[in-house]
Amino acid sequence: MSQYITTIGLEFHAELKTKTKIFCSCPTKFSDQPNTQTCPVCLGLPGVLPVLNKHAVELAVKAGLALNCQISPLNKFDRKNYFYPDLPKGYQVTQYPLPVCQKGYITVQDAAGQDKKVRINRIHLEEDAGKLVHSGDSIADSDYSLADYNRAAVPLIEIVSEPDMSSAEEAREFGEKLRLILAYAQVSDVKMEQGSLRCDVNISLRPREQQEFGVKVEIKNLNSFKAVYRAIQYEEQRQREMLDQGATIVQETRLWDEASGTTKAMRSKENAHDYRYFPEPDLPPVILSPEWIADIAASLPELPDAKTARLQKDLGLSAYDSRQIVASPAIACLFDQTAALTKEYKTLANWLLGDISRLLNNAEQEYEHIPLAAEDLAYLLEQVKSGAVNNNSAKVVLEEMFISGQKPADIIAAHGFAQISDASFLTEAVAAVIAANPQPAADYRAGKKQALGFLVGQVMKQTKGQANPAMVRDLLAKSLE
Amino acid sequence: MITDMTLGELERALDAKELSSMEATEAYLRRIKVLEPEIGAYISVDEENALAQAAASDSRRAKGEKLSSLDGIPLSLKDIICTQGIATTCASRILVNYIPPYDATCWRKLKQGGGVLLGKCNMDEFAMGSSTESSAFKLTRNPFDLSKVPGGSSGGSAAAVAADLACYSLGTDTGGSVRQPAHFCGVVGLKPTYGRISRFGVIPYASSLDQVGILAKCCEDAAIVLERIAGKDPMDSTSFDTPPDAYRQACKRPVKGLKIGVPQEFLGDAIDPAIKEQLNQAVAQLKQAGATVEDVSLPHTQYALPAYYVLACSEASSNLARYDGVRYGLRAEAENVQDMFVASRSQGFGMEVKRRIMLGTYALSSGYYDAYYNKTLQVRTLIKRDYDQIFADGFHCLLTPVAPTQAFAIGANIDDPLTMYMQDVCTVPVNLAGLPALVVPVALHQGLPIGLQLIGAPFGESELFAIGSALETNRLKPNLPAVQ
Amino acid sequence: MSDNKTIISAEDVDYVAKLAHLQFTSQEAADCTAKLASILNYMQELQKIDVTDVPITTHVLPLQNVFREDETGSCLSREAALANAPEQWEGYFKVPRII
């Protein structure tokens, strides 16, 4: 056991899934053409005023409810004052003393495999800044920078955890669960690689016998939860080594460098951090009535933990399969839609996690765009169940459905995959095979039961593999009695 | 003389086809050409645009398609109101050459009503001042005495209306910036209830106090303009959803039966006796007209001025942070972006603006927030309660001085900010409480005008117009040469 | 009135100027310190009043829940957005190096 205790807190920024920005009607959708999605309001031109996007408020509340938070009935906005070229007004509109949501939690598993509640301190609504592009390889090597305000004033929620995590594993699980919950709640696109979900880590180490927290280091530039995990492990080691040598940890912001797998102190011009928060005079307060909150709660879909439990308990899937299915909202959605039409849950789960996942990976396709309809999947599952199509053929059909988008019935017909379960036809075929193979038939009758396998193979060969093998086995056994 | 006519008179003349908008506009432009070099009311005059708008108005009227009472009537705007395609500078070097790509809502409503814009008026830089002397561009002189200031910050607008260089003008009032110049220049000045007129497109000084105001030749003119520009605006979350009243009609209502209070805290030693004398005469006049006039007390009045300066400067320090040289306005050359911010702002803002930014930044900074900013918001509650109580007691309006003095000499207070701030002692409580107030000129004393302030209940502009019209005398006119 | 020098120091003025991104010559700074001190002294008037339990007023009007619907409107053209830019490059606002 290490002689240090690690303390980790996480901060997330999630872009809300609104059509328009938080204070103006410019679209939020991504554009690669700089400064084409701006207006006087989000450019912060002199004289403009903000008008709050109602849907952004609702999504923030939704996120809070999904993360077990208390919702503040009284909401105000504040200005956070600082200068940066990506910040059009010289202040960011955010919520300071009165965040919309407080006191939530997510349950993770600790090192001993026990459930552990990691608390969420607050969730507040705010506006995003614009984007800076630097002329050189890094901000420090650039002769000039370029500002694009398409992203300025896109609505964000900032989610701040309590420093309740003590390992990279817990932090990763917290992050992944949070991402999944926001995705299920349809609050955000949660794409870390595209920046619609951003995560910063606060980490400190202290000797086991020490009560108060150690010096906190902030890590930024984390583009995946794998990076979060690696950065924490790296930083734990770096700080441990420093403490072992009796060195002092500096409170600072460090940037994760994916290529070298290390964190580096961020170079920045020293500025006093005195944000001079004060109430935003241009925005009246927002009162969230119990009725309104209840309406938003009613609009929440089934969330990941509840769904995993249901798949296990009600549909009889294994814990592993349930978690795997729930891990992808798109897979889970297709599962639920299909499961409404057929009771072949186990096979459905196997297909989704096996063949369909493989096909998606091979096609390098996003999970959101699975080209399969629930009713087609359900049809194919029912054909296999009734014996009309065998399992191997079904996999070929599935692949063709995936690639061509054709209906399963058409693919089965085109390939002649329909399985032969016609008893009179199969009886004739069995009789013919027995007649043509007297020796193995005699062997079987004499007690060499393994001869049956050879005879089944012969029937399958005669019927080009379409005979229902279970029926063939039964008919052969009966005929040879 | 055309430029002498009130808005109401001009409308009637245009309707009766005695006059065209083109003739009126040309008359104003001629007068501007002759008198502007002495008065200095305008930062920019746009003849070409004005004439085109006048021609369009005339052809509408010829077809019987009058857009509003204001159709074809020449006006000016304080250069703080954004005008699409026309430079809007706030009288600051930092916005020199800035051309807004959109119209302020108040101007859009006037434009859609057929208003003819003559030009943009001078002001104190970013509306910070009480004499128009902090303008980065020019000095504006009081039309009644060219050695005196016109007041501020809407000094250009007040001087333009007083000198007949515009039929009416829009200004802004954060702590008295429409009312004090109205008093100095002998014109009517209205500061409506906070939220009555949209602030969208009006460059903010202090967002929770700013309100668009009207400078006009008489109460009825101000009423006509207010009817046109008042109302809820979906672009301004703080504009209020109360339908505007029939203000023009309100000017004709009798004052008999109305109850008027005279707050004693406004009549301290600092107030010029000549102004007190005018106030007493007005009290007698209103009593004679059948109104009840009683002394009242607003106990927290003494805290209004310091509270106002803390609050206004705090908000201003944030509102003026966007002038950083990145997207518009002045940019100074510098090695890196932080130095560029500092250099652009230091070169772009004048001293008074910098001082107020400093004061506001200080009041909001860590360690001082509670003692200054937060305390001010609490004091604001107490001040507002004083007024709520008065109006709950059945008073329809309050009668007070506008400022401690008449127009003072150019340069007299320029190096003494605190004395300059004292100019606002009678006007700032109104902004803190968000109330409407009307300044009506009542007399000339030693050649300079005196106006009195009427303070109304929230959205009580109609009562102000009724009482203001009763106090109104013949228009005070400066002694300026006639321009044919 | 208390001593102007005690209420705000030259160091305070320097710190506040940094926050506000303003720069003063030494003469301006001295003048600014003196004037701010006299204004702040005047503002001490506010310390005379007891405001215990008095709520703050951030908005004078009883407004709440003012929203817009999540519907897209028109944007400025890029040319219009950049029209006032002191410096631009290929559709971006250009600024000097950050560090």
Side-chain angles (χ1 to χ4, degrees):
Chain A
M1 190 183 269
S2 161
Q3 64 179 110
Y4 299 107
I5 295 174
T6 304
T7 302
I8 301 164
L10 299 177
E11 266 181 41
F12 298 85
H13 285 91
E15 282 181 4
L16 296 176
K17 234 176 171 170
T18 53
K19 287 205 288 274
T20 64
K21 294 185 177 182
I22 187 165
F23 299 127
C24 65
S25 60
C26 287
T28 51
K29 67 174 195 293
F30 179 78
S31 165
D32 55 2
Q33 294 297 305
N35 296 306
T36 50
Q37 296 185 166
T38 69
C39 72
V41 177
C42 56
L43 279 177
L45 297 189
V48 297
L49 296 168
V51 186
L52 183 59
N53 183 339
K54 187 179 185 185
H55 193 47
V57 176
E58 291 172 334
L59 288 180
V61 172
K62 215 170 167 182
L65 293 169
L67 294 168
N68 309 302
C69 291
Q70 296 170 8
I71 308 301
S72 315
L74 172 64
N75 282 273
K76 286 181 179 174
F77 288 88
D78 302 279
R79 292 186 184 178
K80 178 182 183 179
N81 295 285
Y82 66 97
F83 288 84
Y84 208 68
D86 65 3
L87 192 67
K89 299 186 291 289
Y91 58 83
Q92 180 194 31
V93 178
T94 179
Q95 296 184 293
Y96 187 52
L98 292 173
V100 60
C101 318
Q102 280 172 290
K103 295 183 182 160
Y105 65 87
I106 292 176
T107 307
V108 299
Q109 292 201 316
D110 66 13
Q114 297 296 308
D115 277 357
K116 170 177 176 179
K117 271 187 187 176
V118 173
R119 293 167 301 158
I120 291 166
N121 174 290
R122 60 186 280 153
I123 303 177
H124 66 252
L125 251 178
E126 61 185 25
E127 58 180 335
D128 207 347
K131 195 177 86 180
L132 291 179
V133 180
H134 307 296
S135 65
D137 289 338
S138 75
I139 188 166
D141 309 326
S142 299
D143 292 330
Y144 59 89
S145 293
L146 300 168
D148 168 17
Y149 297 101
N150 282 346
R151 210 182 62 189
V154 165
L156 295 179
I157 43 172
E158 181 174 327
I159 304 169
V160 183
S161 88
E162 296 287 358
D164 284 353
M165 289 156 280
S166 49
S167 70
E169 286 78 11
E170 285 177 15
R172 181 174 59 189
E173 191 189 348
F174 181 88
E176 283 174 347
K177 277 198 131 173
L178 179 123
R179 175 169 61 179
L180 205 55
I181 290 167
L182 296 183
Y184 272 91
Q186 301 201 321
V187 161
S188 169
D189 273 336
V190 295
K191 290 188 178 136
M192 285 188 88
E193 62 289 358
Q194 288 175 20
S196 58
L197 180 67
R198 289 161 241 163
C199 175
D200 300 334
V201 171
N202 285 305
I203 175 169
S204 67
L205 264 62
R206 68 182 143 119
R208 224 156 249 292
E209 62 280 5
Q210 185 181 310
Q211 284 303 307
E212 64 271 26
F213 290 140
V215 177
K216 188 172 77 177
V217 168
E218 186 180 25
I219 315 172
K220 289 179 176 285
N221 196 36
L222 298 160
N223 297 321
S224 66
F225 287 118
K226 195 176 155 201
V228 168
Y229 180 82
R230 290 177 62 202
I232 290 173
Q233 287 208 319
Y234 172 82
E235 194 59 25
E236 269 185 307
Q237 192 187 337
R238 185 186 74 89
Q239 293 187 24
R240 194 160 48 226
E241 284 170 6
M242 284 182 72
L243 291 171
D244 282 344
Q245 289 160 17
T248 318
I249 311 283
V250 191
Q251 179 160 359
E252 62 182 351
T253 298
R254 299 178 69 84
L255 295 180
W256 171 247
D257 181 54
E258 188 74 41
S260 65
T262 60
T263 64
K264 288 172 180 159
M266 191 166 92
R267 266 189 65 193
S268 69
K269 258 202 128 170
E270 260 331 294
N271 262 317
H273 286 291
D274 186 342
Y275 292 123
R276 290 157 285 136
Y277 289 97
F278 74 102
E280 164 60 282
D282 290 330
L283 288 168
V286 174
I287 310 295
L288 291 163
S289 67
E291 296 74 32
W292 193 8
I293 296 170
D295 282 351
I296 297 170
S299 76
L300 269 180
E302 186 182 33
L303 295 171
D305 279 353
K307 194 183 282 285
T308 310
R310 179 173 60 83
L311 297 191
Q312 259 181 274
K313 270 195 204 130
D314 298 359
L315 305 187
L317 297 189
S318 70
Y320 179 81
D321 281 359
S322 304
R323 274 201 303 274
Q324 289 295 110
I325 285 172
V326 173
S328 160
I331 294 276
C333 176
L334 187 55
F335 179 90
D336 276 343
Q337 289 172 348
T338 312
L341 305 170
T342 172
K343 291 198 162 53
E344 294 302 290
Y345 308 128
K346 179 67 193 156
T347 316
L348 171 59
N350 287 342
W351 284 11
L352 284 168
L353 298 176
D355 295 272
I356 294 173
S357 294
R358 180 178 49 79
L359 288 166
L360 282 165
N361 284 335
N362 290 348
E364 289 179 8
Q365 207 142 358
E366 302 256 7
Y367 275 52
E368 283 90 329
H369 307 116
I370 305 175
L372 293 169
E375 55 271 26
D376 293 344
L377 265 183
Y379 173 85
L380 189 56
L381 283 162
E382 288 294 319
Q383 292 305 103
V384 172
K385 181 192 173 196
S386 71
V389 172
N390 72 37
N391 222 346
N392 290 336
S393 303
K395 297 201 167 179
V396 177
V397 175
L398 197 58
E399 182 156 357
E400 289 206 15
M401 282 161 66
F402 187 95
I403 292 161
S404 69
Q406 276 181 286
K407 288 283 172 195
D410 296 342
I411 300 169
I412 291 164
H415 283 275
F417 276 155
Q419 190 163 282
I420 300 164
S421 303
D422 179 332
S424 61
F425 176 84
L426 291 179
T427 307
E428 269 178 42
V430 163
V433 165
I434 292 171
N437 299 282
Q439 190 55 48
D443 289 350
Y444 179 79
R445 286 195 184 97
K448 281 180 79 178
K449 296 296 176 196
Q450 63 268 43
L452 193 66
F454 172 77
L455 294 169
V456 171
Q458 290 304 304
V459 177
M460 294 310 286
K461 200 171 166 189
Q462 294 278 314
T463 58
K464 293 179 180 145
Q466 283 173 270
N468 182 328
M471 281 181 76
V472 169
R473 185 170 287 270
D474 281 357
L475 286 169
L476 273 169
K478 256 184 223 157
S479 304
L480 293 171
E481 265 167 18
Chain B
M1 219 165 41
I2 297 171
T3 51
D4 234 358
M5 296 164 84
T6 65
L7 201 169
E9 290 164 354
L10 201 48
E11 183 194 10
R12 283 185 284 279
L14 290 168
D15 286 349
K17 309 263 190 300
E18 296 161 16
L19 198 65
S20 69
S21 170
M22 196 59 130
E23 286 169 292
T25 304
E26 282 173 340
Y28 273 110
L29 289 170
R30 273 197 306 277
R31 191 166 169 89
I32 289 169
K33 209 160 263 170
V34 175
L35 295 179
E36 174 59 14
E38 290 196 66
I39 307 285
Y42 283 91
I43 288 178
S44 61
V45 175
D46 193 342
E47 271 198 48
E48 204 179 317
N49 243 324
L51 292 171
Q53 286 165 2
S57 173
D58 286 334
S59 67
R60 275 194 300 272
R61 249 180 236 263
K63 286 184 269 176
E65 294 168 355
K66 181 184 167 189
L67 292 172
S68 76
S69 287
L70 302 162
D71 200 342
I73 299 190
L75 74 131
S76 68
L77 298 173
K78 185 177 184 180
D79 207 19
I80 199 169
I81 295 169
C82 288
T83 43
Q84 185 175 354
I86 301 167
T88 302
T89 67
C90 260
S92 181
R93 270 191 303 277
I94 211 154
L95 278 179
V96 72
N97 299 328
Y98 171 69
I99 298 176
Y102 75 104
D103 281 326
T105 300
C106 58
W107 163 231
R108 182 177 52 76
K109 286 184 171 182
L110 292 177
K111 199 163 144 182
Q112 288 171 349
V116 173
L117 181 65
L118 296 166
K120 308 288 295 284
C121 285
N122 198 23
M123 54 184 280
D124 282 297
E125 184 179 4
F126 281 100
M128 297 176 180
S130 307
S131 65
T132 311
E133 291 168 292
S134 75
S135 167
F137 303 132
K138 68 199 301 185
L139 204 59
T140 300
R141 293 170 186 279
N142 192 313
F144 285 84
D145 178 346
L146 298 178
S147 71
K148 299 284 198 293
V149 301
S153 66
S154 308
S157 288
V161 175
D164 290 332
L165 303 179
C167 185
Y168 67 96
S169 188
L170 297 189
T172 57
D173 189 314
T174 307
S177 280
V178 159
R179 289 163 287 158
Q180 183 252 23
H183 157 61
F184 278 16
C185 292
V187 297
V188 166
L190 174 72
K191 181 256 164 211
T193 312
Y194 185 81
R196 176 80 292 178
I197 299 174
S198 168
R199 293 186 294 119
F200 184 74
V202 180
I203 300 179
Y205 160 20
S207 313
S208 78
L209 302 162
D210 289 346
Q211 180 59 196
V212 173
I214 301 163
L215 292 133
K217 298 180 186 184
C218 62
C219 289
E220 189 195 30
D221 287 6
I224 296 167
V225 177
L226 184 62
E227 275 184 27
R228 179 72 206 166
I229 64 177
K232 169 90 189 153
D233 178 8
M235 298 302 280
D236 177 359
S237 309
T238 63
S239 63
F240 207 72
D241 207 359
T242 301
D245 211 345
Y247 300 118
R248 200 173 184 174
Q249 288 305 312
C251 294
K252 299 189 182 90
R253 280 191 215 161
V255 298
K256 193 171 157 63
L258 292 181
K259 200 172 157 189
I260 298 160
V262 180
Q264 295 306 294
E265 290 81 0
F266 283 67
L267 299 170
D269 295 342
I271 308 295
D272 188 326
I275 292 174
K276 286 185 190 163
E277 170 57 27
Q278 287 306 319
L279 190 122
N280 290 335
Q281 284 192 25
V283 168
Q285 199 182 330
L286 289 168
K287 278 182 176 164
Q288 203 157 34
T292 311
V293 184
E294 287 174 22
D295 289 351
V296 295
S297 174
L298 295 160
H300 296 98
T301 299
Q302 69 180 108
Y303 303 109
L305 194 64
Y308 167 81
Y309 273 95
V310 171
L311 189 58
C313 293
S314 297
E315 291 183 15
S317 72
S318 174
N319 284 335
L320 270 61
R322 69 189 62 196
Y323 306 103
D324 60 7
V326 174
R327 291 157 304 279
Y328 45 81
L330 182 88
R331 174 185 294 188
E333 289 302 316
E335 274 291 293
N336 62 54
V337 87
Q338 290 292 329
D339 291 352
M340 186 278 279
F341 287 165
V342 173
S344 301
R345 291 167 60 78
S346 299
Q347 290 171 29
F349 292 133
M351 265 324 286
E352 181 58 26
V353 172
K354 286 183 204 168
R355 199 147 47 224
R356 294 196 194 192
I357 291 173
M358 291 289 289
L359 202 55
T361 305
Y362 177 79
L364 290 174
S365 68
S366 107
Y368 297 101
Y369 182 88
D370 286 333
Y372 288 101
Y373 185 78
N374 205 60
K375 180 133 200 189
T376 290
L377 295 186
Q378 291 176 298
V379 170
R380 190 174 192 182
T381 303
L382 296 174
I383 290 168
K384 190 170 178 298
R385 282 179 185 168
D386 282 356
Y387 286 88
D388 289 348
Q389 188 56 52
I390 294 283
F391 295 118
D393 288 346
F395 285 90
H396 293 96
C397 108
L398 302 170
L399 177 65
T400 77
V402 186
T405 66
Q406 292 182 274
F408 50 84
I410 289 168
N413 294 330
I414 205 151
D415 207 38
D416 185 359
L418 199 53
T419 308
M420 192 73 101
Y421 296 177
M422 295 295 177
Q423 272 296 315
D424 304 332
V425 69
C426 303
T427 44
V428 294
V430 170
N431 300 78
L432 288 169
L435 303 172
L438 180 69
V439 167
V440 181
V442 289
L444 281 178
H445 172 72
Q446 295 177 343
L448 287 170
I450 291 175
L452 294 174
Q453 171 171 248
L454 296 161
I455 302 170
F459 302 100
E461 283 86 355
S462 290
E463 283 74 22
L464 297 183
F465 281 124
I467 299 165
S469 302
L471 284 179
E472 205 164 28
T473 52
N474 285 334
R475 213 183 130 205
L476 305 181
K477 286 185 187 166
N479 194 9
L480 291 168
V483 176
Q484 293 311 315
Chain C
M1 211 174 248
S2 67
D3 184 1
N4 279 353
K5 284 197 184 86
T6 56
I7 196 157
I8 186 166
S9 66
E11 291 72 40
D12 292 336
V13 168
D14 192 49
Y15 171 75
V16 173
K18 275 203 179 72
L19 283 180
H21 284 64
L22 292 173
Q23 199 167 40
F24 296 98
T25 64
S26 54
Q27 199 187 337
E28 282 172 344
D31 184 58
C32 190
T33 308
K35 282 179 176 149
L36 288 180
S38 86
I39 296 164
L40 287 169
N41 266 321
Y42 172 64
M43 286 174 174
Q44 294 317 299
E45 182 80 7
L46 288 171
Q47 306 313 325
K48 287 186 201 161
I49 182 171
D50 181 12
V51 290
T52 317
D53 297 331
V54 177
I56 62 168
T57 294
T58 51
H59 295 90
V60 282
L61 295 176
L63 279 167
Q64 62 182 50
N65 292 8
V66 180
F67 298 117
R68 37 173 285 273
E69 294 302 319
D70 187 22
E71 284 157 12
T72 46
S74 55
C75 295
L76 286 175
S77 70
R78 183 151 76 188
E79 293 64 40
L82 289 159
N84 284 292
E87 208 178 344
Q88 52 177 293
W89 188 80
E90 303 217 331
Y92 290 93
F93 293 87
K94 189 175 171 183
V95 295
R97 56 192 306 154
I98 307 281
I99 298 174

Short mmCIF file of all heavy atoms in Angstrom, two decimals, chain A residues 55-77:
data_model
loop_
_atom_site.label_atom_id
_atom_site.label_comp_id
_atom_site.label_asym_id
_atom_site.label_seq_id
_atom_site.Cartn_x
_atom_site.Cartn_y
_atom_site.Cartn_z
N HIS A 55 -34.86 26.44 -23.47
CA HIS A 55 -34.50 25.02 -23.57
C HIS A 55 -33.18 24.73 -22.86
O HIS A 55 -33.01 23.64 -22.30
CB HIS A 55 -34.44 24.62 -25.04
CG HIS A 55 -34.40 23.14 -25.25
ND1 HIS A 55 -35.25 22.27 -24.60
CD2 HIS A 55 -33.60 22.36 -26.02
CE1 HIS A 55 -34.98 21.03 -24.98
NE2 HIS A 55 -33.98 21.05 -25.83
N ALA A 56 -32.26 25.70 -22.88
CA ALA A 56 -30.98 25.50 -22.19
C ALA A 56 -31.21 25.31 -20.70
O ALA A 56 -30.59 24.45 -20.06
CB ALA A 56 -30.05 26.69 -22.45
N VAL A 57 -32.14 26.09 -20.14
CA VAL A 57 -32.46 25.96 -18.72
C VAL A 57 -33.03 24.56 -18.45
O VAL A 57 -32.64 23.87 -17.51
CB VAL A 57 -33.48 27.03 -18.28
CG1 VAL A 57 -33.89 26.83 -16.83
CG2 VAL A 57 -32.90 28.42 -18.50
N GLU A 58 -33.93 24.15 -19.33
CA GLU A 58 -34.56 22.84 -19.13
C GLU A 58 -33.55 21.70 -19.20
O GLU A 58 -33.62 20.74 -18.43
CB GLU A 58 -35.68 22.64 -20.17
CG GLU A 58 -36.85 23.58 -19.91
CD GLU A 58 -37.92 23.57 -21.00
OE1 GLU A 58 -37.58 23.25 -22.17
OE2 GLU A 58 -39.06 23.89 -20.69
N LEU A 59 -32.60 21.82 -20.14
CA LEU A 59 -31.60 20.76 -20.26
C LEU A 59 -30.68 20.72 -19.03
O LEU A 59 -30.28 19.64 -18.58
CB LEU A 59 -30.77 20.95 -21.53
CG LEU A 59 -31.51 20.64 -22.84
CD1 LEU A 59 -30.59 20.87 -24.03
CD2 LEU A 59 -32.04 19.21 -22.86
N ALA A 60 -30.37 21.90 -18.49
CA ALA A 60 -29.52 21.92 -17.28
C ALA A 60 -30.24 21.26 -16.12
O ALA A 60 -29.65 20.49 -15.36
CB ALA A 60 -29.16 23.36 -16.94
N VAL A 61 -31.54 21.54 -16.00
CA VAL A 61 -32.34 20.90 -14.94
C VAL A 61 -32.38 19.38 -15.16
O VAL A 61 -32.23 18.59 -14.22
CB VAL A 61 -33.76 21.49 -14.92
CG1 VAL A 61 -34.66 20.71 -13.96
CG2 VAL A 61 -33.72 22.97 -14.52
N LYS A 62 -32.55 19.00 -16.42
CA LYS A 62 -32.61 17.59 -16.77
C LYS A 62 -31.32 16.89 -16.35
O LYS A 62 -31.34 15.79 -15.78
CB LYS A 62 -32.80 17.48 -18.29
CG LYS A 62 -33.65 16.33 -18.73
CD LYS A 62 -33.95 16.48 -20.22
CE LYS A 62 -34.53 15.19 -20.77
NZ LYS A 62 -34.77 15.28 -22.20
N ALA A 63 -30.19 17.53 -16.63
CA ALA A 63 -28.90 16.96 -16.25
C ALA A 63 -28.84 16.80 -14.74
O ALA A 63 -28.41 15.75 -14.23
CB ALA A 63 -27.76 17.86 -16.73
N GLY A 64 -29.31 17.81 -14.02
CA GLY A 64 -29.28 17.76 -12.57
C GLY A 64 -30.14 16.62 -12.03
O GLY A 64 -29.72 15.88 -11.14
N LEU A 65 -31.33 16.47 -12.60
CA LEU A 65 -32.22 15.40 -12.14
C LEU A 65 -31.60 14.04 -12.44
O LEU A 65 -31.65 13.13 -11.61
CB LEU A 65 -33.58 15.52 -12.82
CG LEU A 65 -34.40 16.77 -12.43
CD1 LEU A 65 -35.61 16.94 -13.34
CD2 LEU A 65 -34.85 16.67 -10.97
N ALA A 66 -30.97 13.92 -13.61
CA ALA A 66 -30.35 12.64 -13.99
C ALA A 66 -29.17 12.31 -13.08
O ALA A 66 -28.81 11.14 -12.94
CB ALA A 66 -29.92 12.68 -15.44
N LEU A 67 -28.57 13.34 -12.50
CA LEU A 67 -27.40 13.12 -11.65
C LEU A 67 -27.77 13.27 -10.16
O LEU A 67 -26.93 13.58 -9.34
CB LEU A 67 -26.28 14.09 -12.03
CG LEU A 67 -25.70 13.85 -13.43
CD1 LEU A 67 -24.81 15.02 -13.87
CD2 LEU A 67 -24.90 12.56 -13.47
N ASN A 68 -29.05 13.03 -9.85
CA ASN A 68 -29.52 12.97 -8.46
C ASN A 68 -29.33 14.28 -7.70
O ASN A 68 -29.10 14.27 -6.49
CB ASN A 68 -28.80 11.85 -7.70
CG ASN A 68 -28.85 10.53 -8.44
OD1 ASN A 68 -29.93 10.04 -8.73
ND2 ASN A 68 -27.69 9.98 -8.79
N CYS A 69 -29.42 15.41 -8.41
CA CYS A 69 -29.19 16.70 -7.75
C CYS A 69 -30.48 17.29 -7.21
O CYS A 69 -31.58 16.95 -7.63
CB CYS A 69 -28.60 17.71 -8.74
SG CYS A 69 -26.93 17.33 -9.24
N GLN A 70 -30.30 18.26 -6.30
CA GLN A 70 -31.41 19.12 -5.90
C GLN A 70 -31.43 20.31 -6.86
O GLN A 70 -30.38 20.83 -7.22
CB GLN A 70 -31.18 19.65 -4.48
CG GLN A 70 -31.17 18.53 -3.45
CD GLN A 70 -30.70 19.02 -2.09
OE1 GLN A 70 -30.52 20.21 -1.86
NE2 GLN A 70 -30.50 18.08 -1.19
N ILE A 71 -32.63 20.71 -7.25
CA ILE A 71 -32.76 21.81 -8.21
C ILE A 71 -33.09 23.09 -7.44
O ILE A 71 -34.01 23.10 -6.63
CB ILE A 71 -33.87 21.51 -9.24
CG1 ILE A 71 -33.67 20.13 -9.88
CG2 ILE A 71 -33.94 22.61 -10.30
CD1 ILE A 71 -32.37 19.93 -10.60
N SER A 72 -32.34 24.17 -7.71
CA SER A 72 -32.60 25.43 -7.01
C SER A 72 -33.84 26.10 -7.58
O SER A 72 -33.90 26.32 -8.79
CB SER A 72 -31.42 26.39 -7.19
OG SER A 72 -30.21 25.72 -6.99
N PRO A 73 -34.79 26.45 -6.72
CA PRO A 73 -35.99 27.13 -7.25
C PRO A 73 -35.66 28.53 -7.76
O PRO A 73 -36.25 28.98 -8.72
CB PRO A 73 -36.93 27.19 -6.04
CG PRO A 73 -36.16 26.76 -4.86
CD PRO A 73 -34.87 26.16 -5.29
N LEU A 74 -34.70 29.21 -7.12
CA LEU A 74 -34.35 30.57 -7.53
C LEU A 74 -33.00 30.56 -8.24
O LEU A 74 -32.01 30.10 -7.67
CB LEU A 74 -34.30 31.49 -6.31
CG LEU A 74 -33.75 32.90 -6.57
CD1 LEU A 74 -34.64 33.68 -7.53
CD2 LEU A 74 -33.58 33.67 -5.28
N ASN A 75 -32.98 31.04 -9.45
CA ASN A 75 -31.75 31.07 -10.23
C ASN A 75 -31.43 32.48 -10.69
O ASN A 75 -32.32 33.20 -11.14
CB ASN A 75 -31.90 30.20 -11.47
CG ASN A 75 -31.76 28.75 -11.14
OD1 ASN A 75 -30.67 28.21 -11.11
ND2 ASN A 75 -32.89 28.11 -10.82
N LYS A 76 -30.16 32.84 -10.56
CA LYS A 76 -29.71 34.13 -11.06
C LYS A 76 -28.46 33.90 -11.89
O LYS A 76 -27.80 32.87 -11.75
CB LYS A 76 -29.37 35.05 -9.89
CG LYS A 76 -30.59 35.59 -9.18
CD LYS A 76 -30.16 36.50 -8.06
CE LYS A 76 -31.37 37.08 -7.33
NZ LYS A 76 -30.96 37.84 -6.16
N PHE A 77 -28.14 34.87 -12.67
CA PHE A 77 -26.91 34.79 -13.45
C PHE A 77 -25.93 35.85 -12.95
O PHE A 77 -26.33 36.87 -12.41
CB PHE A 77 -27.19 34.97 -14.93
CG PHE A 77 -27.87 33.77 -15.52
CD1 PHE A 77 -29.25 33.66 -15.50
CD2 PHE A 77 -27.12 32.72 -16.03
CE1 PHE A 77 -29.88 32.52 -16.01
CE2 PHE A 77 -27.73 31.59 -16.53
CZ PHE A 77 -29.12 31.50 -16.52
#
